[in-house]
Amino acid sequence: MIVVLKGSATDEDIQEITGRLEELGYRYNVSRGEYRTIVGVMGALDEEKQQVAEQLEGLHYVERIHFILKPYKLVSSEWRAERSTVDVGGCVFGGRTLQVIAGPCSVESREQIVLAAQAVKQAGARLLRGGAFKPRTSLYTFQGLGYEGLDLLVEARKITGLPVVTEARSARDVGPIAEKADVVQIGARNMHNYDLLMEAGMTGKPVLLKRGLAATVDEWLNAAEYVAAQGNLNIILCERGIRTFETATRFTLDLSSIPVVQKLSHLPVIVDPSHGTGRRDLVPALARAAVAVGADGLMIEVHPQPERALSDGYQSLSTGEFEALMGELRSIAAAMGREI
Ligand code: PEP
Ligand code: MN
């Protein structure tokens, strides 16, 4: 249930209504927009709540009461009409500027991550990616450097100033990642791991939530709600392709999900064309399309020597390829009234 307050509602009015909800034992969340304040009341719609709604509707500062029938609430556009932004060390996702996150699939060594960080920064990326805890399909492939990798990311940030994004593979990783990195990434394979989502939400850190390999948009937004319900609305959604019958690409990059998500949710949404296609030769075309479709940013795998990468080298751009792509993306962003 959403209680929309009139523009004239005062702080005292807000206190009164939230006090009343507290007395009734409801959990709620207050969202102060530019023109109106919205109080979202959590929990199922039952007869009692219907009755409470009727009482609240009579308050002079209440404009209207609205019932959200979707299973997710805090992340829905019904809850918040304006688009939300997520600020990561001055890089704002969801604004006019597109944010590009680039870097290797995995952190492999000090030299590799520092070289990658310097090169992607030089080309215009605003954030550095790199996996320290890798969720690999085969147990017998490189699993990441773990805590050592995390420390190397911190070093790369110190040298370049780029905020770092890295994946928490289990709830155990969340604390150290939240402490050292700037964004806690939840990978596609973990999108349904609700304990992990809640743990990440509780840190209050920005969370980059990838779409599951076989998740519908609805399931994806429901997963985001687990993070949001911890009081953390710093969520960046990331489309990374879904499994279909097509085998020419590693996954099928569902670019239609971008405008769909933008209708259903206020959260910023970016695109990962690297995992989405699994092919270096296709990454530029899909990255261009992602900007044209209105994404709020990109996550792109870039490696100083893709042919020597310990993971996902076949889909990683070289630093030169990345630089050329950034030039193309700038023109497309400008045509869309945005900038990179
Ligand atoms: C990644 O970005 O490093 C990754 C493993 O991606 P995904 O979870 O989308 O497969
Ligand atoms: Mn990868």
Side-chain angles (χ1 to χ4, degrees):
M1 172 170 94
I2 285 183
V3 185
V4 182
L5 304 186
K6 289 184 181 155
S8 55
T10 63
D11 286 349
E12 288 74 40
D13 295 336
I14 297 170
Q15 254 171 26
E16 184 191 74
I17 195 164
T18 53
R20 203 142 151 192
L21 291 167
E22 256 163 50
E23 268 170 39
L24 291 164
Y26 288 116
R27 285 207 302 141
Y28 61 87
N29 185 298
V30 179
S31 162
R32 288 172 197 245
E34 203 177 329
Y35 303 107
R36 53 181 198 174
T37 296
I38 285 174
V39 183
V41 187
M42 257 96 53
L45 174 59
D46 53 20
E47 248 174 62
E48 185 196 274
K49 206 190 261 173
Q50 196 101 41
Q51 203 176 16
V52 171
E54 280 163 25
Q55 292 170 6
L56 299 183
E57 217 154 25
L59 295 169
H60 66 91
Y61 51 84
V62 170
E63 190 175 295
R64 68 192 145 87
I65 307 250
H66 179 69
F67 288 102
I68 298 188
L69 299 173
K70 289 211 168 55
Y72 50 86
K73 303 183 192 305
L74 302 174
V75 305
S76 78
S77 43
E78 287 178 90
W79 173 273
R80 200 187 144 96
E82 308 101 64
R83 303 218 57 75
S84 47
T85 55
V86 177
D87 187 334
V88 183
C91 303
V92 179
F93 288 81
R96 189 169 174 271
T97 303
L98 302 184
Q99 303 297 340
V100 179
I101 307 169
C105 179
S106 307
V107 180
E108 299 169 5
S109 67
R110 184 183 188 281
E111 191 194 3
Q112 174 247 19
I113 194 66
V114 169
L115 267 178
Q118 287 169 328
V120 300
K121 181 180 181 180
Q122 169 81 19
R126 301 284 309 277
L127 299 98
L128 174 68
R129 64 149 287 144
F133 302 90
K134 294 304 301 177
R136 303 304 304 283
T137 302
S138 166
L139 172 63
Y140 305 109
T141 52
F142 180 58
Q143 300 283 307
L145 297 180
Y147 294 107
E148 188 193 340
L150 198 49
D151 288 336
L152 293 176
L153 282 169
V154 171
E155 231 180 301
R157 177 180 56 206
K158 222 178 266 168
I159 295 168
T160 58
L162 296 180
V164 299
V165 183
T166 197
E167 177 170 350
R169 196 175 54 188
S170 78
R172 207 174 43 229
D173 312 332
V174 170
I177 289 179
E179 190 189 315
K180 296 192 173 171
D182 301 280
V183 177
V184 180
Q185 178 173 326
I186 305 292
R189 287 156 192 81
N190 262 319
M191 191 210 80
H192 293 285
N193 184 339
Y194 302 118
D195 284 336
L196 179 60
L197 294 169
M198 289 192 282
E199 199 72 30
M202 279 187 265
T203 65
K205 278 268 179 181
V207 173
L208 186 134
L209 177 60
K210 290 202 155 190
R211 181 178 179 180
L213 313 181
T216 61
V217 167
D218 193 69
E219 288 164 333
W220 188 16
L221 294 176
N222 272 295
E225 186 79 9
Y226 276 86
V227 178
Q230 312 313 310
N232 186 354
L233 275 165
N234 294 311
I235 305 168
I236 303 157
L237 298 168
C238 179
E239 168 62 61
R240 50 80 69 216
I242 48 173
R243 200 25 72 72
T244 67
F245 54 80
E246 181 55 71
T247 54
T249 45
R250 187 178 177 194
F251 293 96
T252 298
L253 187 59
D254 179 15
L255 288 179
S256 61
S257 77
I258 304 305
V260 170
V261 161
Q262 287 169 340
K263 281 218 167 74
L264 296 174
S265 174
H266 52 84
L267 297 175
V269 56
I270 68 167
V271 172
D272 170 354
S274 307
H275 292 89
T277 59
R279 286 176 47 176
R280 179 185 311 137
D281 61 328
L282 300 181
V283 169
L286 273 300
R288 294 191 298 262
V291 174
V293 87
D296 295 304
L298 290 160
M299 172 178 261
I300 300 179
E301 286 188 336
V302 180
H303 196 287
Q305 289 177 293
E307 65 289 353
R308 287 178 178 259
L310 298 182
S311 63
D312 288 353
Y314 44 85
Q315 67 190 32
S316 301
L317 298 185
S318 68
T319 53
E321 286 166 333
F322 178 65
E323 194 171 0
L325 173 61
M326 286 296 280
E328 296 171 5
L329 298 180
R330 279 189 200 98
S331 321
I332 298 170
M336 297 292 296
R338 301 182 83 171
E339 59 194 25
I340 291 189

